[in-house]
Amino acid sequence: MDDTPFGMANGASVVDPEVRAHVSSLVTAVGGTGFENDGHYLLGDDALACLRDLKRWLKLYDEKTNRFDVARCLAEANLVKGDLLEILAAWSENTTEDRLKSKIALACLELLVPLTWPYEKKDHDMTVNHHRHLPYLQLAQVGYKGAILEHRSEKILHNIIRIGLPSIALAAAERTSRDEGIIKILLYFLRNITSITPPSNLAHHNEYNEVSRSAIIEAFQKQDVFALILTLASNIEEFSAQDVVIMELLFHLLKGVNPAKIFMDNEEKTKRSRDDLERLMQKEVHMRRDHAKIAPTRHNRFGTMIWVKRDDQRLSAVSGQDTLSSGQRAMLRMDQTKKWKRPGQNRKTEEESETWDLPVSLSTSASHSLQTMVEEFLDSGFNPLFNNIRRAIEREADRVLQTHSQQYFYLIAWFLEAERARRTMRKQRDDQEGGKVAGVIEPESFGLIATVMNQENFVTMNRFMQDRLEMKSYSDLYSGMRCFTQILLTIQDMADSPLEEDQEIADNIQNRIFYEETTHDRIVAIVRGYKDQGFRYLDACTELSHVFLRVLERYSKENLDLQIRSKRRARKKKAKQAAPLTDETNPYGDDSEAEEVAEAQRVSKERKFDFTRFSARFLSQACVDTHIKFTAFYRDLTTEQLKRAHRFFHRVAFKLEMTVLLFRLDIIMLFQRMIKGPEGLETSNSIFKEWEELSRQIFRRLTKKLQQRPALAIELLFSKINATTYYLEYGQEKQTVEKRSRPPAELEIKAGLDRDRQIGVAIAVLVDMDKSELARWVAEELSKAKDERRGWETEAQARRLEGSDETESPTDKAPSILIKASSETVRMAMFKEAHLRLLMNLVGFERLGDEDVLGATWIVPSALSSSILEELLGELDKHLTQPGTHVDIDGQPIAALDMIRRKPKNARESMMESRSRRVEFDDESNGFLDDGEEEFLFPAGGPTARKLDANVALQTLKRKRKHKRRPETDDELDDDTGVDDATREARRRARLENERAKRLKIKSEEIIRDSDDETDEERDRLFYSKEAAIAKKNAAKIKEALIAGRISRDLKEGSEAVSKSKTNSTTRKSLFGGDEDDQDDEDEDGGSEVDIVPKAKDGDTDAISVLSSRIEMEDSDDAFNVRSKKQTPVTSPFEQFLENKENEMRLDEDDDELAYGIGTWNGRDRARRRPVVSLSDDDE
């Protein structure tokens, strides 16, 4: 920008002349240069006062009136370059103690901050004054920045830092508000310098290199700005209020810089630059070659327009000489002119989201300086700074703005990528040097970035991404996606780390991230929701989905039992059922019930994760369209980006076998153009062969599918919905089974009420639930049924009077009356409303059939006469006219709802309810039962039915007849003996306690499955034949063992003595010599095995361990009772062997343990194995 002001336009001033005069006079009085002092700058007599007056003009005029007049006057007066920078450059190191010069330097800084503050005006906030001055002021700020960075003294930034050093040196407790203000304006000035960029739509006179990112980095390195940033970041606890300003400074300094490039050495950078240049040259060659086919010659330099006749005989005009080359080129040119622009599209927002993160190239020296700064920041300042910022964001501090969250996640992604690049660089350097620096790299863990890898940061990130996704703030969501992607890549590097601690942390982090199904849903929603957010957003969302799928697939393969938690909405019926609970009779339960209902709004449920099921969620046309839009930029994509798109289409087509989704005309044409051209993918690209093979396989499947499904030729023009996809893939429509609704639980009214009061309770509950219309409908149906039944009875009576025989015939039975729903609401209530069904049952309505489904038929049965129906109708009308809310039980009012309970279906359900009540009782009542409350493990089911022989039954009957008649009850006996009331009451209580004790021990037959008593001859025959085969096989093995001499003769001789004393034993005794797991294995084999072991050592007890099949063991208080089933009727060699061995049993009278057979059981075995007590003859 020229120093000459141009404040006049068309002869008229753009600023108020009076304002210009005041400002210009103040600028002149600040000071200036002259020939007398050899061009050096001299301060005016009242320079400090003039600087403060200029500050007041900016604050009181521009800010108060929302104008830019004073700033425009200062820019035209060249205040910054001509006065402020000269004053700061003249402030030498030796004059630090001069308070006047320090105050003047501070006044210069206070003016520089508002003059360099970024202008962020929205279109709806712009006024005429803003439109007049803003372009000029933006160019002026670029000039300010260039002058500060390229000043001849090269110490402007250094001297500005000197202004804040005295305040920075003070402890946090000793700093005043003035010191905090000085530190803040110092950091804001540095932030402003980094955020100033040349406007893209305005031409500026400064060279771009003067204000480039490389110039900023080199100036910050030379003038100790990086040292200041590192000092403040590493000691952020002392400067917690300045955390967001430091973050903004880092954001504007690092945005657009590729972290991987700054950690490359010179050789690698040279190689990368050479490869990029070669790629661009090849691209240029291809472009020239394609253009040469249609390039004009010296004979056809004139314009061309042709008519193209289409299929419908209509003509279209196409211009351009390239259309003469071929008809395809003409059609392509015509298609390119068909661009539909959506009306009302906000393109500015998209352009802003695309430009703020554009790639920035750095010079070699700037890259080296930035690399040094980033390494030191990661080592010392990363964890403290970002931990402090996260806490400020979570508590929504006043200094935190909406843009700070975006910058926070963007910087996390940037530094994580830088840390990964640094580790890669060190690993490559270590490999090249042959492990000389292995000691430096080996101990390093990922603790330097631990503050962003904890659960608190993940919660903040997930909340941020979900909020921005719902608000459709895609620029912020872009930062969140980048952050999440880099976190996943860092976790993958941690999992591959040689340190076990890093591997455990990575496993824990992955388990936490993948545990929430909401994270999975968000990834799918982001990919599906892409429309026109720009290429960088498209690149970020496809990269996130690719990395997430890859890491999740790897982790799910390593952890087959991975569980995820899914959240679903609770049914609204719970809230409706909880509404009647807020009753005046329950003042203490209202709050707790309301809290339970509120907490149950979202129900969490764990389930096993299935990666195939999750990856199938990407099988939608929206996900395919997103990747197709990304692939359409194939000429500008890198190899990694092309590989990412290829992996997605390969997963869809071959891993998930849904190639039908790719059978669309535009997709097929895109793949064809990528491989065959025109303007196709370069054949020298390393990924070209994979894309060629993918396209070939898709085309092959397309032709095959067209032969199988001719309808696919039409569907090529459209996107595929789920029904169409299924039909094209399998050749039939998908059969869907309608999920049948379950009927409500059957209710009943507690005992103690007659029918009239029961009907009153049911009606009271319906009225309390605002469903009195259902009770009135029941009364109407009952009235109709009464009239119909009375008419039939009258007609039947007339028929009997006319006939000769007055006896009732089968045709005189009254027909059932059909109940009809008056509306769809009533029809649904007849199925879903349990209280209405209770009232219908109480008035005698019955449901036809065993299947309780929606629309089931209800009738009035034949047994209800007109008089009974009239009586029921009277009771209904009475309670509908005067509905009650309470029932009087023993003088105490009880709410009607409390008189209704769920009706148990069977004994097993009653037992489960009793157990659940017992658990709740144990948790709430400290283990004490209330008076009169009894809980039984099993309901009493009566005596066990036994099948008696006829003779046995006759003898039992004779014995009963011989017995004298005794008093029927103990009370009669007491009356005969003259016992007093107190003794009688004590005996009654004793009988109740004995009865209660017996009932607690009951194991009822009602809960025993009667399948054990069923007989199946075919099943028994197969079982016995299998047992016989196994026994025969075992007998052969034992015989071989006996022949081989594995059984000791001493054992036989010792067992003969025992066999003489136990030959009459009829009870089969068995001893379990193995563990329970071994028994289960032998039972599964279908038979028993005999373990043959060598001869026992001295001191051991010889025994034969025979595993008996079908032994039923029951635990008791002192021992294990063993009951043997009946022996199988099939005689086998194995059973003969058992019988012989039972005769040779040796009984040790001093020991309660019984052992027989071949084997040993020493003291060690007794300690390890569970002892078994067998029953003797007396015990049995």
Side-chain angles (χ1 to χ4, degrees):
M1 187 182 76
D2 294 338
D3 295 340
T4 304
F6 50 96
M8 306 297 292
N10 298 327
S13 176
V14 294
V15 179
D16 187 0
E18 186 177 355
V19 174
R20 184 186 299 276
H22 282 285
V23 174
S24 300
S25 62
L26 290 174
V27 172
T28 305
V30 171
T33 59
F35 296 101
E36 299 178 357
N37 51 9
D38 299 332
H40 295 288
Y41 188 87
L42 292 179
L43 290 171
D45 296 336
D46 295 331
L48 180 59
C50 294
L51 292 174
R52 290 177 177 176
D53 289 343
L54 290 174
K55 176 185 174 184
R56 293 190 188 97
W57 270 98
L58 281 172
K59 184 176 182 180
L60 298 177
Y61 189 85
D62 277 8
E63 294 183 10
K64 294 294 184 181
T65 60
N66 193 23
R67 298 173 67 88
F68 292 154
D69 292 343
V70 177
R72 176 69 178 266
C73 293
L74 294 178
E76 293 175 352
N78 198 23
L79 174 68
V80 174
K81 297 181 181 179
D83 296 283
L84 301 183
L85 297 186
E86 297 299 329
I87 294 174
L88 292 172
W91 188 32
S92 63
E93 300 282 349
N94 300 328
T95 58
T96 305
E97 301 298 332
D98 191 345
R99 295 181 58 85
L100 179 59
K101 291 187 177 181
S102 299
K103 291 181 179 180
I104 293 175
L106 179 59
C108 293
L109 179 60
E110 290 176 346
L111 276 173
L112 285 173
V113 171
L115 291 176
T116 57
W117 198 274
Y119 293 104
E120 298 176 354
K121 290 289 185 180
K122 303 296 182 181
D123 290 341
H124 58 273
D125 297 332
M126 296 283 286
T127 62
V128 176
N129 182 271
H130 296 158
H131 285 288
R132 180 184 295 126
H133 299 309
L134 188 59
Y136 184 86
L137 293 178
Q138 287 178 342
L139 291 177
Q141 284 187 343
V142 176
Y144 299 159
K145 179 178 180 179
I148 293 171
L149 297 178
E150 301 294 334
H151 196 269
R152 62 182 182 277
S153 64
E154 295 185 353
K155 60 178 183 179
I156 299 298
L157 298 175
H158 176 74
N159 289 340
I160 289 177
I161 293 175
R162 286 173 52 199
I163 298 173
L165 284 181
S167 300
I168 295 174
L170 295 175
E174 300 176 359
R175 285 197 294 268
T176 62
S177 58
R178 180 178 181 274
D179 296 326
E180 294 290 348
I182 292 175
I183 299 174
K184 182 175 293 186
I185 62 173
L186 168 62
L187 294 175
Y188 274 129
F189 172 73
L190 297 176
R191 189 279 311 264
N192 295 343
I193 294 301
T194 57
S195 62
I196 293 175
T197 55
S200 58
N201 56 346
L202 295 176
H204 50 87
H205 303 281
N206 299 80
E207 295 293 336
Y208 177 75
N209 294 332
E210 297 180 2
V211 294
S212 64
R213 194 73 59 84
S214 298
I216 298 174
I217 294 173
E218 292 177 359
F220 279 13
Q221 178 66 24
K222 293 178 182 179
Q223 303 184 38
D224 301 328
V225 178
F226 283 158
L228 174 66
I229 296 174
L230 294 174
T231 302
L232 297 179
S234 58
N235 300 277
I236 198 62
E237 296 83 3
E238 298 289 330
F239 309 94
S240 59
Q242 319 303 332
D243 50 1
V244 293
V245 186
I246 299 175
M247 182 183 66
E248 287 187 59
L249 174 59
L250 292 174
F251 173 76
H252 292 292
L253 184 67
L254 300 176
K255 65 177 182 180
V257 178
N258 189 354
K261 288 186 177 181
I262 65 174
F263 284 97
M264 294 180 183
D265 52 10
N266 295 331
E267 182 180 355
E268 189 173 359
K269 288 181 181 179
T270 304
K271 181 180 179 182
R272 180 68 62 86
S273 300
R274 189 187 304 113
D275 294 341
D276 292 342
L277 179 60
E278 183 179 356
R279 183 174 56 84
L280 291 175
M281 293 178 65
Q282 291 180 356
K283 186 176 182 180
E284 183 182 7
V285 170
H286 286 289
M287 292 177 60
R288 289 180 178 274
R289 184 174 54 195
D290 294 338
H291 182 68
K293 299 178 181 179
I294 57 174
T297 63
R298 62 177 181 175
H299 301 290
N300 56 0
R301 294 179 180 175
F302 305 99
T304 303
M305 178 176 290
I306 64 173
W307 291 97
V308 179
K309 183 180 292 186
R310 295 182 292 182
D311 295 338
D312 54 357
Q313 303 301 320
R314 297 181 62 183
L315 301 178
S316 299
V318 181
S319 61
Q321 291 187 354
D322 55 341
T323 58
L324 299 175
S325 59
S326 62
Q328 182 182 3
R329 176 68 62 178
M331 293 295 182
L332 182 60
R333 175 61 63 88
M334 187 170 57
D335 291 339
Q336 290 176 352
T337 59
K338 300 176 182 178
K339 296 294 183 182
W340 176 67
K341 295 182 179 180
R342 183 178 301 173
Q345 211 169 3
N346 188 7
R347 308 299 302 177
K348 185 176 181 180
T349 303
E350 180 180 341
E351 292 175 0
E352 291 177 355
S353 62
E354 287 288 308
T355 56
W356 70 271
D357 190 29
L358 290 178
V360 176
S361 59
L362 301 178
S363 61
T364 304
S365 58
S367 179
H368 185 268
S369 300
L370 185 60
Q371 174 187 348
T372 305
M373 180 265 177
V374 169
E375 288 183 344
E376 294 179 357
F377 179 80
L378 286 171
D379 294 338
S380 60
F382 180 80
N383 281 340
L385 177 62
F386 282 91
N387 187 37
N388 200 70
I389 296 173
R390 178 185 58 79
R391 293 178 179 178
I393 292 175
E394 287 180 350
R395 62 175 180 264
E396 298 181 356
D398 295 337
R399 64 182 184 273
V400 177
L401 303 178
Q402 184 177 0
T403 57
H404 290 154
S405 298
Q406 175 191 9
Q407 298 172 3
Y408 171 75
F409 291 107
Y410 180 86
L411 287 178
I412 288 178
W414 197 95
F415 282 108
L416 287 180
E417 187 176 359
E419 175 65 17
R420 293 175 50 246
R422 181 172 68 161
R423 289 177 174 272
T424 303
M425 179 196 68
R426 291 186 176 182
K427 184 177 180 181
Q428 293 176 355
R429 186 184 306 170
D430 182 49
D431 295 339
Q432 293 176 0
E433 296 180 3
K436 293 181 181 181
V437 294
V440 179
I441 301 178
E442 190 81 15
E444 289 189 2
S445 64
F446 287 83
L448 298 176
I449 54 174
T451 188
V452 298
M453 304 296 289
N454 53 20
Q455 184 65 17
E456 290 81 2
N457 188 68
F458 295 153
V459 171
T460 304
M461 180 186 65
N462 290 330
R463 186 188 303 117
F464 172 79
M465 293 181 63
Q466 187 65 32
D467 293 343
R468 296 306 184 268
L469 180 62
E470 293 175 356
M471 294 188 301
K472 298 183 179 180
S473 180
Y474 298 115
S475 181
D476 295 345
L477 183 59
Y478 166 75
S479 300
M481 290 189 296
R482 282 200 48 160
C483 178
F484 196 14
T485 303
Q486 293 303 321
I487 286 176
L488 292 175
L489 294 174
T490 305
I491 292 173
Q492 191 174 7
D493 292 346
M494 292 176 65
D496 297 335
S497 173
L499 299 179
E500 295 183 1
E501 182 181 0
D502 290 340
Q503 296 177 7
E504 294 177 359
I505 294 174
D507 184 77
N508 187 19
I509 292 175
Q510 290 181 89
N511 192 14
R512 289 176 178 269
I513 291 177
F514 299 138
Y515 178 65
E516 297 291 344
E517 192 181 23
T518 53
T519 305
H520 306 203
D521 299 339
R522 190 180 307 114
I523 301 300
V524 177
I526 288 174
V527 179
R528 290 180 177 179
Y530 175 80
K531 292 183 179 179
D532 51 1
Q533 291 87 347
F535 174 76
R536 302 197 68 79
Y537 180 90
L538 178 61
D539 182 32
C541 72
T542 53
E543 183 182 12
L544 175 59
S545 63
H546 172 72
V547 175
F548 188 85
L549 277 172
R550 188 180 64 185
V551 177
L552 179 57
E553 183 177 13
R554 175 182 175 181
Y555 184 72
S556 61
K557 290 180 179 179
E558 296 175 354
N559 299 269
L560 300 178
D561 56 345
L562 177 62
Q563 299 287 325
I564 62 172
R565 180 174 63 181
S566 59
K567 291 186 178 181
R568 294 291 183 265
R569 281 286 179 188
R571 292 182 297 178
K572 296 182 179 179
K573 185 175 68 174
K574 293 185 178 180
K576 294 182 180 179
Q577 291 178 353
L581 297 178
T582 58
D583 194 273
E584 296 180 357
T585 60
N586 189 19
Y588 302 101
D590 295 345
D591 296 338
S592 61
E593 293 292 339
E595 291 177 359
E596 291 179 2
V597 172
E599 184 179 358
Q601 291 301 315
R602 295 195 66 84
V603 179
S604 298
K605 181 180 179 182
E606 285 191 357
R607 61 178 177 83
K608 188 175 181 180
F609 177 73
D610 186 5
F611 179 78
T612 305
R613 176 182 176 184
F614 170 70
S615 59
R617 299 181 63 182
F618 289 89
L619 294 179
S620 63
Q621 200 66 56
C623 293
V624 173
D625 291 344
T626 300
H627 287 80
I628 286 297
K629 293 176 182 177
F630 179 70
T631 311
F633 297 94
Y634 63 91
R635 294 182 63 86
D636 301 322
L637 298 180
T638 62
T639 303
E640 292 298 328
Q641 292 171 333
L642 287 171
K643 185 180 297 184
R644 183 195 316 163
H646 176 273
R647 295 298 182 268
F648 174 80
F649 294 124
H650 183 272
R651 182 185 298 275
V652 171
F654 304 105
K655 285 189 175 182
L656 301 177
E657 295 294 337
M658 289 299 292
T659 323
V660 178
L661 289 175
L662 304 180
F663 293 163
R664 203 174 65 192
L665 203 56
D666 58 335
I667 300 177
I668 299 301
M669 292 180 63
L670 175 63
F671 289 167
Q672 174 71 14
R673 186 167 65 252
M674 289 177 63
I675 304 303
K676 301 296 184 181
E679 300 179 356
L681 194 64
E682 299 177 5
T683 56
S684 59
N685 199 321
S686 58
I687 199 69
F688 177 80
K689 292 294 183 181
E690 298 181 13
W691 273 101
E692 185 180 20
E693 180 64 21
L694 174 67
S695 302
R696 189 179 65 84
Q697 293 294 334
I698 291 177
F699 293 157
R700 186 179 64 85
R701 293 195 175 191
L702 174 60
T703 55
K704 184 177 180 181
K705 186 67 67 174
L706 281 172
Q707 297 176 359
Q708 298 176 355
R709 312 277 188 270
L712 179 59
I714 304 299
E715 294 296 335
L716 284 175
L717 302 174
F718 310 101
S719 298
K720 312 296 187 299
I721 60 176
N722 294 334
T724 305
T725 303
Y726 189 89
Y727 174 77
L728 294 176
E729 186 68 26
Y730 302 103
Q732 60 183 4
E733 294 184 358
K734 188 175 182 179
Q735 302 295 328
T736 57
V737 179
E738 183 180 358
K739 187 176 181 180
R740 184 177 299 176
S741 301
R742 297 178 58 184
E746 188 175 357
L747 303 179
E748 67 177 4
I749 298 178
K750 297 180 181 179
L753 299 179
D754 56 4
R755 186 187 64 187
D756 183 19
R757 300 175 70 185
Q758 289 181 359
I759 293 176
V761 169
I763 293 177
V765 173
L766 288 174
V767 172
D768 190 40
M769 297 171 62
D770 294 333
K771 297 181 179 179
S772 58
E773 67 278 358
L774 298 179
R776 295 191 184 92
W777 170 77
V778 174
E780 293 175 359
E781 292 297 320
L782 200 59
S783 176
K784 295 178 182 178
K786 181 202 68 173
D787 297 339
E788 185 176 350
R789 183 60 50 85
R790 178 169 295 175
W792 182 89
E793 290 176 351
T794 304
E795 183 180 356
Q797 183 67 21
R799 287 198 305 269
R800 283 196 297 269
L801 293 175
E802 293 176 358
S804 58
D805 189 3
E806 295 184 359
T807 59
E808 184 178 357
S809 63
T811 58
D812 293 336
K813 186 177 180 180
S816 301
I817 301 175
L818 182 65
I819 303 298
K820 298 180 180 180
S822 59
S823 63
E824 183 65 23
T825 304
V826 176
R827 177 174 172 271
M828 296 296 296
M830 291 174 63
F831 176 70
K832 292 186 176 182
E833 182 52 57
H835 298 88
L836 174 62
R837 295 160 66 98
L838 173 63
L839 179 61
M840 295 170 66
N841 290 324
L842 290 175
V843 299
F845 293 176
E846 294 181 357
R847 188 185 72 251
L848 289 181
D850 297 332
E851 192 174 8
D852 191 359
V853 295
L854 181 64
T857 303
W858 287 77
I859 61 171
V860 177
S862 304
L864 297 181
S865 62
S866 60
S867 59
I868 298 177
L869 294 177
E870 185 176 3
E871 182 180 354
L872 291 171
L873 181 60
E875 296 174 356
L876 274 174
D877 293 338
K878 179 183 67 174
H879 292 293
L880 282 173
T881 305
Q882 298 179 350
T885 58
H886 296 77
V887 181
D888 190 5
I889 303 296
D890 297 334
Q892 295 182 356
I894 300 178
L897 186 63
D898 295 338
M899 295 299 299
I900 298 178
R901 65 184 178 187
R902 182 175 179 178
K903 184 178 180 180
K905 295 182 179 180
N906 48 40
R908 180 176 295 273
E909 184 174 349
S910 301
M911 180 188 67
M912 298 304 295
E913 291 179 354
S914 175
R915 289 183 177 179
S916 63
R917 290 197 302 269
R918 186 180 297 110
V919 171
E920 296 175 357
F921 172 80
D922 293 340
D923 294 339
E924 300 173 1
S925 305
N926 298 326
F928 295 98
L929 288 171
D930 297 335
D931 294 338
E933 184 175 358
E934 296 183 359
E935 299 291 343
F936 301 103
L937 181 62
F938 298 99
T944 304
R946 292 184 175 88
K947 297 179 180 180
L948 298 179
D949 186 74
N951 296 329
V952 177
L954 181 61
Q955 296 296 330
T956 302
L957 182 60
K958 289 180 179 181
R959 286 197 301 268
K960 288 184 177 180
R961 288 178 178 178
K962 292 179 181 180
H963 294 167
K964 296 181 179 180
R965 180 186 178 276
R966 296 179 180 178
E968 294 182 358
T969 63
D970 292 341
D971 294 336
E972 296 179 4
L973 180 60
D974 294 341
D975 293 338
D976 296 340
T977 56
V979 180
D980 56 355
D981 294 338
T983 305
R984 187 181 297 109
E985 180 66 20
R987 290 180 179 180
R988 189 183 67 83
R989 290 182 176 274
R991 288 194 303 271
L992 290 178
E993 290 295 331
N994 293 335
E995 182 66 21
R996 181 178 179 276
K998 291 180 181 179
R999 293 189 65 185
L1000 289 175
K1001 296 181 180 180
I1002 289 177
K1003 294 180 174 57
S1004 177
E1005 187 184 13
E1006 294 181 5
I1007 68 166
I1008 300 176
R1009 295 177 57 189
D1010 55 358
S1011 60
D1012 296 338
D1013 297 332
E1014 297 176 356
T1015 57
D1016 190 345
E1017 295 180 359
E1018 181 64 19
R1019 181 184 63 188
D1020 294 342
R1021 186 185 64 80
L1022 294 175
F1023 172 78
Y1024 292 143
S1025 60
K1026 184 178 180 181
E1027 289 290 330
I1030 295 175
K1032 184 175 180 181
K1033 182 179 178 180
N1034 293 335
K1037 293 182 179 179
I1038 295 172
K1039 184 176 180 181
E1040 293 176 1
L1042 293 174
I1043 296 174
R1046 298 183 182 178
I1047 300 179
S1048 175
R1049 296 179 180 179
D1050 297 338
L1051 176 62
K1052 294 182 179 181
E1053 295 175 358
S1055 61
E1056 290 177 357
V1058 180
S1059 62
K1060 295 178 180 180
S1061 61
K1062 298 297 294 182
T1063 52
N1064 297 327
S1065 176
T1066 59
T1067 304
R1068 187 181 216 176
K1069 302 178 179 63
S1070 62
L1071 183 64
F1072 291 91
D1075 296 334
E1076 294 182 1
D1077 296 338
D1078 299 334
Q1079 297 173 17
D1080 297 338
D1081 296 339
E1082 291 167 354
D1083 291 342
E1084 292 175 0
D1085 293 337
S1088 304
E1089 294 182 2
V1090 178
D1091 297 332
I1092 311 284
V1093 299
K1095 183 178 180 181
K1097 298 181 180 179
D1098 296 337
D1100 295 341
T1101 303
D1102 296 335
I1104 296 179
S1105 299
V1106 180
L1107 301 181
S1108 176
S1109 61
R1110 295 188 175 273
I1111 300 298
E1112 184 179 8
M1113 303 188 65
E1114 298 178 355
D1115 296 336
S1116 63
D1117 295 336
D1118 301 327
F1120 296 89
N1121 300 325
V1122 181
R1123 298 183 303 172
S1124 301
K1125 294 281 185 176
K1126 294 182 179 181
Q1127 300 180 8
T1128 58
V1130 180
T1131 302
S1132 61
F1134 177 63
E1135 294 183 353
Q1136 186 66 32
F1137 171 76
L1138 291 178
E1139 184 177 357
N1140 295 335
K1141 290 304 174 184
E1142 286 178 356
N1143 295 332
E1144 297 175 0
M1145 249 184 238
R1146 181 175 60 188
L1147 179 63
D1148 189 355
E1149 297 180 356
D1150 298 334
D1151 194 356
D1152 293 337
E1153 298 175 351
L1154 181 65
Y1156 62 92
I1158 304 174
T1160 61
W1161 193 350
N1162 52 23
R1164 181 182 59 186
D1165 293 331
R1166 290 194 185 98
R1168 179 174 57 86
R1169 300 176 180 175
R1170 190 172 68 179
V1172 178
V1173 178
S1174 61
L1175 297 177
S1176 62
D1177 296 338
D1178 297 337
D1179 296 334
E1180 189 175 14

